[in-house]
Amino acid sequence: MSVLKKSWIAVPENSDFPLQNIPFGIIKVPDSDPHPATRIGDTVIDLSVLADFGYFDSLDIDNLSLFYTPVLNDFIALGKQTTNAVRLHLMKLFSEENQDLENNLEARSLALYPIDKVEVLLPLNIGDYTDFYSSREHATNVGKMFRDPESALLPNWKYLPVGYHGRSSSIVASGAEIHRPKGQLMPNGADQPIFGPSRLLDFELEMAFVTGKETKLGTSVPVEQAEDYIFGMVIFNDLSARDIQKWEYVPLGPFLAKNFGSVISPWIVTMEALEPFRTQGPIQEPDVLPYLIASGKRNFDVHLEVSIQPENSSESVICRSNFKYMYWNMSQQLAHQTVNGCNIRVGDMYASGTISGPEPNSFGSMLELSWGGKNLIQLSDGDTRTFLKDGDTVIMRGYCQKDDLRIGFGESVTKILPAL
Ligand code: MN
């Protein structure tokens, strides 16, 4: 087994951010504008300072101003060849074999910050957002509860990656405080709806990918080329109000039940960093149509977990799942999204849909964990939940592990506040 290269920046044991990760994000340090950054261990590195000191001059980048922008869109638009060259260059700069920057105390003091001294912001201007519904276990569970246990999956589900166009304006970065939404609810047994705060507030454990290349309206992304269009991934908490959803979602799908806050982990982990963790997806039966046939390993082995932390109490892990369970992979999702000629843009976000596994403790929402509110979810402090309470904090984490190499996403943290 190869010994992993180390950084001259300290990396705590089991950190999601070793030298081999080099994710991209946007940080704000006090008295400065937001800038692109990366993270090693618990240290963040302001890339604008590295640009100031000429550390990117050896790369073939015409316009260094993109290291000073408040979002990563222009950086991502450079294309994978260049963004990965930047990533490999940063790995070299921070490798313990290289003392260049380590010995430049002025640059170091201006560029490096402890993570707890900076704000990590939403890293993108997200133009469009799609939410897929690609976990067979999740779609089956919801179909059983919301519709008919005998035909839980609708006839189209195994033929196409079902999705809907969501709203990008309400996607925010980890650390968000989200008020319980209000809306129309149809209580059991009632014959007309009432208006009020959602009573069935839930999370959805998802991952999302970010597109790094645009297409022209009228063209499609072939499934075998889809990965060229995917820059990287984040964890995605798609908060959902189940009572609003149940009343509103027929016939056009979710609307206000899911656009009051979706919370992402703020470091975009590149597909290059995730490469060692490819794995085979579930067998697709019946065969998919030719435009959806994707060869090779298109799923990724990402361990996922969700904790609930009640106000003034400790956190309890209530779900452990894995991104590898997805029935439809990202290549198929993007091929399907564009097969009709729909164009995509740099910085668009595509969420997987709730990632439920086969075991009950791997279900990726409280709707499923409590089976529609019928079963109590036990917390470590003795309390129980069926859905989220005001004051609860939802913490999602994800990481890949192979031998000594751990590449992670950090956290998506959301605190639930009372309805306004
Ligand atoms: Mn969702």
Side-chain angles (χ1 to χ4, degrees):
M1 194 171 69
S2 65
V3 177
L4 293 174
K5 274 195 183 158
K6 291 208 165 76
S7 173
W8 49 265
I9 295 176
V11 176
E13 206 181 335
N14 287 329
S15 172
D16 284 347
F17 304 102
L19 184 63
Q20 290 73 16
N21 192 338
I22 310 290
F24 293 97
I26 294 287
I27 58 163
K28 164 112 179 59
V29 301
D31 306 318
S32 178
D33 295 326
H35 290 145
T38 189
R39 173 175 178 173
I40 296 175
D42 294 330
T43 301
V44 296
I45 300 119
D46 184 333
L47 300 186
S48 75
V49 177
L50 299 189
D52 285 345
F53 280 84
Y55 279 105
F56 296 122
D57 291 354
S58 64
L59 298 173
D60 191 20
I61 301 173
D62 293 338
N63 182 8
L64 290 174
S65 70
L66 51 88
F67 288 110
Y68 300 81
T69 53
V71 286
L72 292 174
N73 296 57
D74 289 348
F75 172 71
I76 293 171
L78 289 171
K80 264 175 182 290
Q81 207 179 340
T82 308
T83 55
N84 197 40
V86 171
R87 180 171 163 271
L88 295 173
H89 183 66
L90 289 168
M91 270 189 212
K92 229 182 254 169
L93 269 182
F94 291 100
S95 156
E96 64 183 0
E97 291 162 7
N98 187 331
Q99 281 92 43
D100 238 20
L101 177 57
E102 188 180 9
N103 292 338
N104 185 342
L105 296 185
E106 194 195 358
R108 269 182 68 169
S109 71
L110 292 167
L112 273 56
Y113 290 86
I115 184 76
D116 54 6
K117 292 282 186 290
V118 305
E119 260 184 280
V120 189
L121 307 179
L122 187 72
L124 296 165
N125 180 6
I126 304 168
D128 280 297
Y129 158 54
T130 295
D131 193 17
F132 287 99
Y133 191 53
S134 288
S135 154
R136 180 176 164 184
E137 288 83 357
H138 173 70
T140 304
N141 288 339
V142 173
K144 281 182 188 168
M145 278 184 270
F146 274 29
R147 282 190 312 272
D148 173 11
E150 297 306 308
S151 53
L153 285 184
L154 288 172
N156 60 4
W157 198 91
K158 286 185 175 176
Y159 287 94
L160 56 87
V162 171
Y164 67 94
H165 284 122
R167 192 169 173 90
S168 53
S169 67
S170 53
I171 301 175
V172 294
S174 179
E177 299 191 325
I178 303 288
H179 288 276
R180 180 177 295 272
K182 293 178 288 193
Q184 286 198 25
L185 329 166
M186 180 68 109
N188 282 339
D191 56 12
Q192 51 181 335
I194 60 167
F195 176 81
S198 168
R199 300 160 183 181
L200 309 181
L201 182 55
D202 198 356
F203 61 77
E204 289 189 328
L205 171 61
E206 306 193 20
M207 297 200 71
F209 68 83
V210 175
T211 42
K213 227 168 136 176
E214 63 177 27
T215 59
K216 271 203 194 116
L217 181 63
T219 65
S220 307
V221 176
V223 68
E224 290 294 355
Q225 289 167 29
E227 290 187 346
D228 298 344
Y229 290 78
I230 301 176
F231 172 72
M233 298 188 70
V234 295
I235 300 169
F236 193 98
N237 178 359
D238 187 21
L239 289 167
S240 298
R242 299 302 179 190
D243 36 11
I244 297 173
Q245 180 183 353
K246 195 171 180 182
W247 171 233
E248 77 175 3
Y249 86 107
V250 178
L252 289 184
F255 186 47
L256 302 180
K258 287 169 183 272
N259 66 359
F260 58 92
S262 302
V263 184
I264 65 168
S265 57
W267 296 103
I268 305 176
V269 177
T270 64
M271 296 320 291
E272 288 80 9
L274 296 172
E275 191 59 37
F277 308 101
R278 282 182 184 277
T279 187
Q280 205 71 49
I283 291 169
Q284 296 182 315
E285 170 69 47
D287 286 345
V288 299
L289 292 171
Y291 80 93
L292 291 169
I293 297 174
S295 60
K297 296 176 174 175
R298 301 282 179 139
N299 280 38
F300 290 84
D301 185 0
V302 187
H303 302 276
L304 297 166
E305 64 172 47
V306 186
S307 289
I308 301 284
Q309 181 168 21
E311 193 127 60
N312 304 316
S313 187
S314 52
E315 61 171 272
S316 307
V317 177
I318 62 167
C319 158
R320 289 181 214 275
S321 188
N322 194 306
F323 186 54
K324 72 181 177 187
Y325 296 136
M326 302 311 294
Y327 187 86
W328 294 104
N329 60 55
M330 295 182 281
S331 295
Q332 293 175 318
Q333 290 171 338
L334 200 55
H336 185 65
Q337 171 86 56
T338 58
V339 73
N340 65 343
C342 173
N343 52 327
I344 61 169
R345 293 180 293 195
V346 172
D348 290 350
M349 194 162 271
Y350 303 79
S352 56
T354 306
I355 306 162
S356 295
E359 306 299 330
N361 70 353
S362 67
F363 293 169
S365 67
M366 296 174 87
L367 176 72
E368 294 160 89
L369 290 164
S370 73
W371 206 257
K374 289 193 184 72
N375 306 328
L376 295 176
I377 301 164
Q378 199 65 47
L379 304 184
S380 57
D381 64 0
D383 210 349
T384 58
R385 290 287 181 281
T386 49
F387 291 93
L388 292 168
K389 275 190 182 166
D390 294 344
D392 284 351
T393 297
V394 182
I395 306 155
M396 297 183 172
R397 299 186 176 92
Y399 69 94
C400 310
Q401 180 97 45
K402 196 172 204 179
D403 301 325
D404 285 350
L405 178 61
R406 173 178 168 131
I407 299 287
F409 291 82
E411 298 178 333
S412 158
V413 179
T414 310
K415 183 165 185 182
I416 304 300
L417 301 183
L420 282 172

